[in-house]
Amino acid sequence: MNKKDYRKILVEKFADHIISQKIAHTNEFYLEVNPRIILEIITFIDQELNCPLISMFANDERILSDRFVLYYAFADRDQGVLLIIKTGIAPEDPTFTSIAVKIPGAAVYEREIKDLFGLIPQGHPDPKRLIFHSNWPKGIYPLRKDFNGQEKPPFDNQEMPFTQVMGDGVYEIPVGPVHAGIIEPGHFRFSVAGEPIINLEAQLYFVHKGIEKMCEGRSIEHCLYVAERISGDETFANSQAYCQAIEKIAQVTIPERAMYTRVIFGELERLTSHLGDLTGICTDVAYGFAASQFNMLRAWAYDLADELCGMRFLRSVNKLGGCRLDFVAGKEKRSWKV
């Protein structure tokens, strides 16, 4: 089924509730619909068209259209087609219908939207805070355009609800948010009855940086450097995703050599990350010998990255429109010493 087939099916079935429609970038079908039928159309796409939800996000478009906007992105991976459902939310009634009961994967997206935009998912099975912690004040939403990212909000002391499991022999074990290693902080509450874990609740995002707000008003070149530094393990992947987004908007086709170079560096970063994961798994089960072997392989992968571009974390490889240099030229047949 191609994008035109999806367009025909959705337009015919929901004709009375469609506000606008368009096809962009040859494989993206945008459909703006009345918010009253959002649950119905989302369920139809998921269950009848067999297109899974791959992303959901909000945007403050009050300057453009006096409203907030929700976007639901679905994908037909076999055909390479994206279906993006768009619906508006009036600022005077900042609520929307939750789809988490029908599509459980949307639950975290909706909680994130609630925290960052102040849009309330009605009917959500567990709408507690996701991003914010007890010191973040109520009524302040950092991804709204009128939020001043240069000002520090006042500290508050909100109560963070956790599900309590009651019964004979049930114990609650709190872990974190401070950990002994260098992993990202997180607070975990285990409800256990002996060995079995009955319930686990996790509170993450302690090092949420507000990168989206940080990039507002910056140049596209500046934001590329920010994208590279979001996470050391995904330096190249994040910068490539950013470059591809800008190139797609600008309708720029990069040179074929640059396309292949990006694939090579993307695979190198992926292998490096997998070797790190395997090291961690072996460490966690006290398999020290295997951990040291995988860690050695990871070090060799870092050395290869450093030899190719002068940076173990593959920074400054991508640029808007391609790659900064032909890093691979002259090194294709080199015999690497390990």
Side-chain angles (χ1 to χ4, degrees), residues 224-240:
L224 171 59
Y225 291 108
V226 174
E228 285 187 322
R229 287 154 178 81
I230 294 173
S231 171
D233 287 341
E234 297 88 34
T235 292
F236 186 83
N238 288 334
S239 67
Q240 179 173 335

Side-chain angles (χ1 to χ4, degrees), residues 183 233-234 268-284 290-302:
I183 62 174
D233 287 341
E234 297 88 34
L268 178 57
E269 184 176 73
R270 182 182 67 82
L271 290 171
T272 305
S273 295
H274 284 358
L275 289 169
D277 289 338
L278 291 169
T279 301
I281 291 171
C282 292
T283 300
D284 288 342
S292 65
Q293 297 301 302
F294 284 125
N295 207 30
M296 180 173 59
L297 292 172
R298 189 187 192 196
W300 291 344
Y302 275 135

Side-chain angles (χ1 to χ4, degrees), residues 46-63:
D46 178 66
Q47 297 181 1
E48 301 299 326
L49 300 184
N50 296 316
C51 293
L53 180 75
I54 61 170
S55 185
M56 176 182 173
F57 54 94
N59 193 28
D60 183 354
E61 300 184 7
R62 289 178 292 174
I63 297 177

Side-chain angles (χ1 to χ4, degrees), residues 181-318:
I182 59 172
I183 62 174
E184 180 176 335
H187 180 60
F188 305 91
R189 294 199 181 191
F190 295 87
S191 296
V192 300
E195 290 292 328
I197 300 174
I198 301 173
N199 185 58
L200 167 62
E201 293 206 38
Q203 181 73 50
L204 305 174
Y205 296 90
F206 281 90
V207 290
H208 189 273
K209 303 175 182 69
I211 290 170
E212 300 98 324
K213 198 68 179 182
M214 183 193 309
C215 290
E216 282 187 2
R218 300 285 187 171
S219 69
I220 56 175
E221 293 83 3
H222 175 91
C223 294
L224 171 59
Y225 291 108
V226 174
E228 285 187 322
R229 287 154 178 81
I230 294 173
S231 171
D233 287 341
E234 297 88 34
T235 292
F236 186 83
N238 288 334
S239 67
Q240 179 173 335
Y242 178 81
C243 287
Q244 288 178 329
I246 299 298
E247 290 157 3
K248 196 169 189 178
I249 293 170
Q251 298 183 348
V252 170
T253 301
I254 70 172
E256 185 177 18
R257 179 79 178 184
M259 294 181 185
Y260 282 108
T261 301
R262 284 181 174 179
V263 171
I264 291 171
F265 280 107
E267 284 298 286
L268 178 57
E269 184 176 73
R270 182 182 67 82
L271 290 171
T272 305
S273 295
H274 284 358
L275 289 169
D277 289 338
L278 291 169
T279 301
I281 291 171
C282 292
T283 300
D284 288 342
V285 297
Y287 192 8
F289 174 76
S292 65
Q293 297 301 302
F294 284 125
N295 207 30
M296 180 173 59
L297 292 172
R298 189 187 192 196
W300 291 344
Y302 275 135
D303 288 342
L304 176 57
D306 185 59
E307 175 68 24
L308 288 173
C309 67
M311 170 61 68
R312 294 190 309 138
F313 292 108
L314 300 177
R315 288 176 182 161
S316 298
V317 173
N318 279 313

